[in-house]
Amino acid sequence: MEKILALSFLITIGVTIFMEGLHKHVPKAYIYLPMGFALMVEILQMRYEHNRQRLKG
């Protein structure tokens, strides 16, 4: 899952840089909001896995 997330970030940044190279403005919120959301989901998933392993034994 982490590899897919990292790849999607790289693609997003690459497309943004490409569009900026063509002088098309891309609002930074289109980049930062999905990254922030994915970061929050990833943190929640790590906490869930940690707690599950701890309770499992």
Side-chain angles (χ1 to χ4, degrees):
M1 179 68 185
E2 294 86 18
K3 291 180 182 180
I4 294 172
L5 186 61
L7 179 62
S8 67
F9 287 159
L10 288 174
I11 290 171
T12 302
I13 297 298
V15 168
T16 303
I17 292 172
F18 180 75
M19 295 300 288
E20 293 282 339
L22 295 175
H23 303 290
K24 304 287 185 188
H25 178 68
V26 178
K28 300 303 181 221
Y30 287 170
I31 300 169
Y32 294 131
L33 287 175
M35 283 188 179
F37 178 75
L39 178 65
M40 292 303 295
V41 169
E42 195 64 33
I43 289 171
L44 288 173
Q45 185 174 356
M46 286 190 301
R47 286 185 61 195
Y48 171 76
E49 287 295 323
H50 175 73
N51 289 336
R52 198 177 89 178
Q53 290 295 326
R54 191 178 61 171
L55 291 175
K56 191 174 183 180

